[in-house]
């Protein structure tokens, strides 16, 4: 009664958005943030209000106090996309309090929550406060694969009932063969083993990334590696990240300037987002060497 | 470029509806008609304008000429749901002409188009007029099974592009494993064999239904059996179909009064819809005997 299975986390978010948002609504959204979720929420015509993030995640103190009526606050607490920081426990509590006080629903997207290294877990906000103003989104796109199209939302019975009713007249139900196959994979313990295997694999790639960077002038500029499969390199040069990314692409190195994920033009374009999940250790080592040389030449 | 794969026909219809309808729109819809499609279109806030059907399907002459601005006309030409009649060739041409003249898009739902007996096929409207004002919906829910969640729409490149863009930010894509499995099943010829097998099976059940009814007072009242897996029994009694269906249910016979599918209260509740796809020949024979007795007793 408190969980709905959907065609991925974005689908679940779309259902909530369709039920509650229109062109008169506003949603607070991490900036930089996950572009697809921003597009999905904006599809309803709602205004997206950018809120800055720092090393503790969303700056809860920046949420509007000027009477802007928000419907939702969207956050990625486990691994802020794309900075890779976690929402601190203190911020989680502050956001929950703020949500209760202002009667605003928190969309907790547990993005990359399964891939966490060396650090202790933090409780999801959905678990911190029974019947709190939180709807939690999970996906099997990262732990399994995106074309499986399986995700879910957990929330109040009333909300899940509304989502179920709405989804029934929009695409009826989620493919049951995939659900049965995944359920069997979970029940026989293989899913947990698979996630552990992938966590070890990604941890090894991350170690390789850290080692490669430690040997360059970029040492100390790598952040966001406590979880997930992407990290951030801060640039201390005056050249924009977009410029660096363009030069890198010519050498076959694909990195993304942070500005690609920013809504507000005031966020400095001074960092590169590196995805390391799908590249080999050899590619990581060689790529970081070339990238450092490009930044050196540009600086 | 002219086809989009979706999570069933309803999902495809929902995408078109989301793109083009709002609370100021109107859609012409068969009455009686398919309730789920009606709900899906109505979800956008659009007004649903009921149009009567007869033995040749939608009464095209009844489409509003009073200036009511329609966005879509929804039809099930292969097997009108629930009366089971086909849209005649003349009506198809008339509807196409009307759509062109009034710049109204025709939603052609090829409901049960695969299950046709003894009669020659009629061309889908989508095939009668290149770049005509038609979007064609197909599903594998009936030929395969509903929880497969595979269907499609075929339309103009511009429309399909819009649908693809919209669907990308609402649920991203359709499960690819199911698509690959179905594609293999189609390519190796098994799908066509399966449909032929099911067609023979349903034709046999339909024969059984006809034979059973021929032995009762209901002889001559059975219609809609040229295609599909449901048929209609007209009642000549003054008792409502709802009343008969209620009495039948008490004896374990599940039939649906036509009023369940009607939007306008002016359609007489004087027919029963019988689904025969999922019941055995023995159940059909016994059930029709009991149903005839119930109608006799009620009359």
């Amino acid at each position: 009664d408190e969980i709905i299975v959907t065609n991925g986390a974005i689908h679940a978010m779309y259902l909530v958005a369709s039920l509650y948002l229109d062109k008169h609504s506003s949603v607070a959204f991490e900036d930089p943030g996950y572009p697809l979720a921003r597009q999905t929420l904006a599809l309803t015509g709602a205004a997206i209000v950018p809120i800055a993030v720092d090393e503790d995640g969303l700056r809860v103190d920046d949420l509007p106090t000027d009477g802007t009526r928000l419907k939702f606050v969207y956050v990625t607490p486990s691994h802020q996309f794309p900075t890779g920081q976690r929402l601190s426990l203190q911020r989680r509590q502050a956001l929950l309090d703020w949500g209760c006080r202002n009667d605003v629903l928190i969309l907790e997207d547990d993005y990359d929550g399964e891939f966490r290294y060396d650090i202790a877990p933090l409780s999801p906000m959905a678990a911190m406060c029974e019947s709190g103003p939180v709807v939690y989104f999970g996906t099997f796109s990262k732990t399994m694969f995106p074309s499986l199209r399986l995700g879910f939302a957990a929330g109040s019975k009333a909300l899940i009932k509304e989502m179920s009713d709405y989804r029934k007249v929009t695409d009826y139900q989620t493919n049951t063969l995939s659900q049965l196959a995944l359920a069997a994979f979970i029940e026989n313990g293989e899913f947990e083993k698979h996630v552990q295997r992938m966590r070890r694999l990604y941890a090894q790639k991350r170690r390789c990334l850290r080692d490669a960077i430690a040997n360059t002038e970029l040492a100390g500029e790598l952040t966001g590696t406590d979880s997930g499969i992407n990290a951030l390199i801060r640039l201390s040069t005056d050249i924009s990240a977009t410029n660096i990314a363009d030069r890198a692409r010519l050498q076959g190195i694909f990195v993304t300037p942070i500005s690609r994920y920013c809504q507000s033009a005031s966020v400095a374009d001074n960092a590169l987002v590196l995805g390391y999940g799908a590249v080999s250790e050899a590619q990581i080592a060689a790529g970081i060497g070339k990238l450092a040389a490009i930044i050196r030449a540009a600086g």
Side-chain angles (χ1 to χ4, degrees), chain A:
Chain A
D1 291 355
E2 296 178 332
I3 293 180
I4 180 174
V5 175
T6 60
N7 313 334
I10 280 295
H11 182 221
M13 217 166 298
Y14 173 68
L15 295 176
V16 179
S18 298
L19 287 166
Y20 286 97
L21 300 181
D22 61 27
K23 62 184 176 183
H24 306 296
S25 316
S26 295
V27 176
F29 200 92
E30 298 169 335
D31 192 29
Y34 180 37
L36 187 54
R38 193 195 290 129
Q39 279 177 276
T40 301
L41 297 168
L43 202 61
T44 61
I48 308 295
V49 181
I51 307 289
V53 299
D54 60 24
E55 63 280 5
D56 287 325
L58 184 88
R59 293 170 63 109
V60 176
D61 287 347
D62 288 0
L63 287 168
T65 52
D66 63 353
T68 304
R69 184 74 188 90
L70 294 175
K71 282 274 191 184
F72 302 146
V73 179
Y74 172 87
V75 277
T76 49
S78 293
H79 178 86
Q80 201 279 326
F81 186 86
T83 66
Q85 308 293 354
R86 288 205 295 177
L87 192 62
S88 69
L89 193 57
Q90 204 177 350
R91 290 267 176 93
R92 287 173 197 231
Q93 193 58 60
L95 182 53
L96 268 178
D97 293 345
W98 186 93
C100 285
R101 223 166 36 236
N102 295 281
D103 194 26
V104 172
L105 194 65
I106 299 162
L107 307 185
E108 179 172 28
D109 185 352
D110 191 15
Y111 178 81
D112 273 356
E114 297 85 357
F115 300 124
R116 179 176 36 75
Y117 322 106
D118 309 340
I119 50 169
L122 292 178
S123 171
M125 283 179 287
M128 286 170 68
C129 160
E130 191 145 354
S131 76
V134 181
V135 49
Y136 175 96
F137 299 93
T139 181
F140 293 95
S141 291
K142 288 301 187 77
T143 45
M144 298 295 289
F145 47 94
S147 67
L148 183 61
R149 303 318 306 140
L150 284 179
F152 59 92
S156 72
K157 281 185 191 180
L159 177 66
I160 298 300
K161 171 76 167 63
E162 279 187 282
M163 291 171 74
S164 302
D165 289 348
Y166 188 86
R167 101 64 62 88
K168 188 158 185 206
V169 288
T170 56
D171 80 336
Y172 207 67
Q173 68 178 109
T174 290
N175 182 302
T176 48
L177 287 180
S178 308
Q179 291 187 64
L180 290 167
L182 181 63
F185 196 63
I186 291 171
E187 276 160 19
N188 68 17
E190 286 299 329
F191 176 74
E192 189 52 38
K193 277 190 229 166
H194 169 69
V195 170
Q196 281 166 11
R197 208 155 42 224
M198 295 311 290
R199 196 182 288 136
R200 280 195 300 275
L201 181 73
Y202 291 145
Q204 177 57 29
K205 290 188 180 193
R206 158 185 171 263
R207 200 168 307 127
C208 171
L209 176 69
R210 284 178 161 184
D211 290 349
I213 285 183
N215 293 328
T216 71
E217 304 89 325
L218 302 171
E221 304 293 351
L222 185 70
T223 58
T225 58
D226 283 342
S227 59
I229 48 179
N230 68 273
L232 210 70
I233 293 182
R234 293 269 160 205
L235 298 174
S236 43
T237 153
D238 286 341
I239 313 285
S240 75
T242 300
N243 187 317
I244 300 288
D246 286 345
R247 295 181 193 205
R249 190 168 48 246
L250 296 176
Q251 296 196 32
I253 299 164
F254 298 91
V255 292
T256 311
I258 192 145
S259 54
R260 184 80 61 81
Y261 304 111
C262 294
Q263 185 184 355
S264 160
S266 69
V267 181
D269 188 21
N270 64 355
L272 294 169
V273 179
L274 280 66
Y276 57 87
V279 283
S280 70
E281 294 186 42
Q283 286 174 312
I284 291 171
I288 290 298
K290 283 190 196 173
L291 187 63
I294 291 164
I295 294 171
R296 193 182 313 133

